Amino acid sequence: MKKIAVIIDNDPKNSISGYATTVYEVLCTSTKYQYDLVRLSPGRLHMADQLNDLGVDGIIHNWWPGDSWLRDYILDYVKVPQFVIAGHNHIPSFTSIKHVWSAYIDQEPTDYITPLPRPIVYYPDLLYTPPSGRIKIGSFGLGFRNKNFPKIVELVNEQFSDAVVDLNLHMSYTKHSYAETNKIAHECRALAMPNVMLNISFHYLKTSYDIAKFLNGNDLNVFAYETEPHLKVTSSSLDHALSARKPIALSRSNYFSHMKDVPGIWFDERGLKDIMNDGIAHLEPVYQKHSAQALIQAFETQLDKHIS
């Protein structure tokens, strides 16, 4: 079986690395190629030697513009076919790269670029269960302003006489991020009415399974992202919510453009209770379109062309 290395940043809290880790988790169910996850600390010194020493048949780089070490003069010295996962608002143009897979699902496909299905993971112990007892509404993500967490609290204030709101706002490493996340948490607490028990946690959920398990503990997961039309991005948080197999309620943000044809999930059209009580049967076409088989095929169609 041919071996493929998936190269990601060594920073576990980097959400772009987190996306690639979830992709890797799905790829590991392949019966055709063996995929190895490799974390490398950024740095140009001897990088080509490190890549050549991996002993694999191909290399997939998870790239974004912040990966300043990835340059043509390094890639040119690598002896095996190389590929890139990109699309986090940018597409690279390295001369040594055989193919680019785009994380941006609305990316225009070409002979060189393939937009990827979303990495939705099936966990046998995380299944749909209908609401029972006190209703719990949840959400998760980086504690940034554009995620619009206070909106979630406002919606629950208005639509529930008694509910729990469980938010996990994890932080990046910058001082600005810490300050902004704490400010958003304070705003959420100030908004919560007596009918709402608000729980806010900041601990880092280390694995895709940890995130999905947290979200599976809610009766409804709500994502109220703002619209940022200048960005060509697709939400990874929603991938985890779909892996959790619980109902979802969404804003009309361009981060969720791949869900535009799914009826009944938009909180500007329907109440949260109605969305929650619908369950997840209507999401089955989403699970089929973004199945593990579809994601693996998108990768291995190109690997087969370039790896002998």
Side-chain angles (χ1 to χ4, degrees):
M1 186 180 289
K2 300 288 186 179
K3 292 183 179 181
I4 307 297
V6 181
I7 309 295
I8 67 172
D9 190 287
N10 200 35
D11 176 4
K13 293 188 178 181
N14 182 326
S15 60
I16 293 174
S17 294
Y19 166 80
T21 302
T22 308
V23 168
Y24 163 76
E25 192 170 340
V26 175
L27 290 176
C28 282
T29 64
S30 171
T31 58
K32 190 170 190 178
Y33 289 88
Q34 176 182 323
Y35 296 90
D36 297 328
L37 189 67
V38 179
R39 295 184 181 273
L40 291 180
S41 297
R44 302 180 189 183
L45 187 62
H46 307 305
M47 182 58 68
D49 291 336
Q50 292 183 55
L51 295 172
N52 283 323
D53 289 344
L54 292 173
V56 295
D57 301 288
I59 293 173
I60 299 173
H61 300 278
N62 184 52
W63 176 89
W64 70 296
D67 287 335
S68 59
W69 63 268
L70 203 58
R71 292 288 186 267
D72 278 316
Y73 69 82
I74 293 175
L75 300 175
D76 288 346
Y77 283 94
V78 178
K79 299 175 183 177
V80 298
Q82 297 173 90
F83 309 83
V84 162
I85 300 172
H88 309 285
N89 212 37
H90 294 84
I91 296 294
S93 56
F94 299 119
T95 58
S96 299
I97 294 299
K98 300 296 185 183
H99 198 78
V100 174
W101 294 285
S102 176
Y104 175 52
I105 199 164
D106 292 327
Q107 178 72 47
E108 186 71 26
T110 69
D111 291 341
Y112 181 64
I113 305 170
T114 299
L116 286 172
R118 300 308 298 174
I120 301 173
V121 185
Y122 172 69
Y123 299 110
D125 61 324
L126 301 183
L127 303 175
Y128 171 72
T129 54
S132 62
R134 195 177 193 186
I135 298 302
K136 183 186 283 189
I137 311 296
S139 195
F140 134 93
L142 284 167
F144 293 160
R145 182 65 55 185
N146 66 337
K147 309 301 184 185
N148 210 5
F149 288 105
K151 179 65 175 180
I152 299 172
V153 180
E154 290 178 351
L155 289 170
V156 178
N157 280 341
E158 297 166 359
Q159 299 182 30
F160 290 85
S161 59
D162 182 36
V164 176
V165 174
D166 208 353
L167 305 177
N168 178 265
L169 315 184
H170 59 279
M171 308 180 188
S172 67
Y173 287 124
T174 66
K175 290 181 179 179
H176 172 76
S177 171
Y178 278 90
E180 185 69 7
T181 300
N182 280 307
K183 184 177 180 181
I184 291 168
H186 178 76
E187 291 175 17
C188 289
R189 294 188 185 103
L191 285 169
M193 301 294 286
N195 56 302
V196 174
M197 176 185 287
L198 176 62
N199 301 316
I200 300 179
S201 59
F202 303 97
H203 62 279
Y204 173 63
L205 299 168
K206 294 183 179 179
T207 67
S208 299
Y209 175 80
D210 292 337
I211 299 168
K213 186 175 182 180
F214 167 77
L215 296 172
N216 180 260
N218 302 318
D219 298 304
L220 175 70
N221 292 300
V222 183
F223 298 91
Y225 287 24
E226 297 174 355
T227 295
E228 299 182 282
H230 62 289
L231 295 180
K232 295 181 177 181
V233 290
T234 306
S235 168
S236 293
S237 294
L238 185 58
D239 300 335
H240 298 299
L242 289 165
S243 297
R245 264 62 182 186
K246 285 298 183 75
I248 55 172
L250 305 179
S251 67
R252 293 287 183 173
S253 172
N254 56 301
Y255 282 78
F256 312 126
S257 62
H258 59 303
M259 302 293 285
K260 61 182 180 293
D261 295 327
V262 180
I265 61 173
W266 310 100
F267 61 66
D268 66 338
E269 290 184 347
R270 307 181 70 211
L272 297 184
K273 291 180 183 178
D274 290 336
I275 297 174
M276 176 183 69
N277 290 331
D278 277 352
I280 64 169
H282 60 296
L283 297 176
E284 187 56 35
V286 178
Y287 289 116
Q288 292 178 5
K289 182 177 181 179
H290 302 280
S291 66
Q293 293 79 7
L295 185 67
I296 290 169
Q297 183 177 357
F299 276 92
E300 296 186 349
T301 296
Q302 298 301 326
L303 293 177
D304 289 346
K305 291 180 181 179
H306 299 286
I307 296 178
S308 56

